[in-house]
Amino acid sequence: MKFGGTSVGEADCIRRVADIVEPHRRAGDEVALVVSACSGVTDQIIAVADEVVKSKKQPPIGTFLLAMRTRHIRLLGEVAPDYVDEVTAVIDDRLTRLQNILTAVHTLKELTPRSRDYIISFGERLSAPIVSAALRQRAIPSVPLDGAEAGIVTTANHGDARALPASETSIRSRVVPLLAETVPVIMGFMGATEQGVITTLGRSGSDYSAAVIGAGIDADEIWIWTDVDGVMTSDPRVIKDARVLDDISYLEVMELSYFGARVLHPRSVEPAMQKDIPIRVRNTFRPDLPGTLILRDEHQEKRVVKAIALIEKVALVNINGAQMIGRPGVAKTIFSALAEREVNVMLISQGSSEANISLIIDESHLEAAIAALTPIVKQGVVREATYDRDVAAVAVVGAGMAGTPGTGGRIFSALGRAGINTMMISQGSSEVNVSFVVKGGDGKRALQVLHDEFRLSENSDD
Ligand code: ADP
Ligand code: ASP
Ligand code: MG
């Protein structure tokens, strides 16, 4: 069971976590927990680290640490009064380590990816001992473990590390023996390289931690407890009449999360899929609801389109130049240059005349993309590259689209009637997803138009 930031952000929420775990334990189920930092904490740590490395004056490290201490000790007192002394000592020890490293960053004016990962792992280092103590307060034996102690071995790709296959045996040997006696509370979001250097798995990476741990211990199911009722037909913050899905396939949910449905980290599906472990997304605040079940094959719905996702922080790159026609290797030159600068290409579309390649990338990678492509234009490999920051990408997802003629027509007719112009279209060969790009300001409206067109708020099969 993984509990996200809002599920462990307040005393009431942590008590709910214990309420959820307790009956399972009493029924003899073996449960491992993965927890996030308390809501907002990772953002706050990142903001301070960025300030500390730049600031010429004495940065407010003390004030920040005091606020962190106050919040966590208050939570601890409310959820585990019998363990206040023991766990306060743990929290104070961690805050001292955080203070030392932040002070060093300020002194050296250097924040390497390696030290940054160590620093941003502290949110989970503070939350997990409190959740673990809250379980012990209910007489449920529990131990907190950091991601590395739980056996997550990762690549050295700081800020976006991936679990290595070696994790599986180390998780099995470290976590499984604990399960009969205790409920381990594992700090999400982090792991360590084979050399023991702390890494983090990317923002929202605790979902991925949960999937890696679940696969490592051969869990029967992986449950992601969050603040919505399950995976919905669209982001409920944008689409007010979004509906909870009973079930969805691994591939469909992967497409949705890749396109910004942050209910699940995109990488969290793969470890579960490899072992065919079902994932269930459930609401910590409404634990009586069944949530959404994620499986290999969704039940056969007649509905072709199941859900729609929107990602707003993207940029469009258009590469033009008749020079590309019939010349092998141009695409290789372009993509190698982008890869060297670690630009994440989310969508690709190429005109059949080969005179144009359009790409969608993370907006934060735009500067790197420009740096990668400018020399290629100068060398005359392509005529020009243009960039558009103000765009949004929409993904329409549903396994039923494969082999159902007319879905594309319906999507683009509905957009046309609403006066929304599409700047680029792409369909993966899996046919689980049709994605397109519109002006930034049209993104949310496009989402609503299609949600209405495919009547996704209605429960009946379309
Ligand atoms: P946690 O802190 O539990 O990891 P997140 O905030 O990361 O929670 O993810 C849950 C949020 O994902 C929801 O509050 C919701 O706003 C957002 N979300 C975006 N798209 C979807 C979707 N299709 N279904 C459900 N939630 C979605
Ligand atoms: N605390 C981390 C973050 O905010 C990881 C997570 O919450 O999943 O990104
Ligand atoms: Mg999340």
Side-chain angles (χ1 to χ4, degrees), residues 2 204 207 262:
K2 176 259 177 179
S204 298
D207 297 330
R262 69 156 203 236

Side-chain angles (χ1 to χ4, degrees), residues 411-423 436-439 441-450:
I411 293 172
F412 297 107
S413 306
L415 292 171
R417 280 195 305 277
I420 298 172
N421 180 38
T422 47
M423 303 164 77
F436 59 87
V437 177
V438 294
K439 277 267 164 233
D442 286 339
K444 291 196 171 76
R445 206 156 58 86
L447 208 62
Q448 186 73 60
V449 163
L450 296 176

Side-chain angles (χ1 to χ4, degrees), residues 317-325 327-345 347-350 354-361 368-377 379-387:
V317 180
N318 266 315
I319 301 161
N320 300 310
Q323 296 93 323
M324 288 193 285
I325 293 175
R327 214 170 114 188
V330 174
K332 174 173 173 283
T333 311
I334 292 170
F335 290 107
S336 307
L338 291 170
E340 253 167 47
R341 300 212 177 231
E342 300 193 357
V343 176
N344 178 26
V345 178
L347 278 182
I348 304 169
S349 148
Q350 180 175 7
E354 296 184 36
N356 169 284
I357 295 181
S358 305
L359 309 171
I360 286 295
I361 60 172
I370 294 173
L373 297 176
T374 305
I376 296 178
V377 176
Q379 288 155 21
V381 180
V382 297
R383 182 164 43 76
E384 61 164 6
T386 60
Y387 307 93

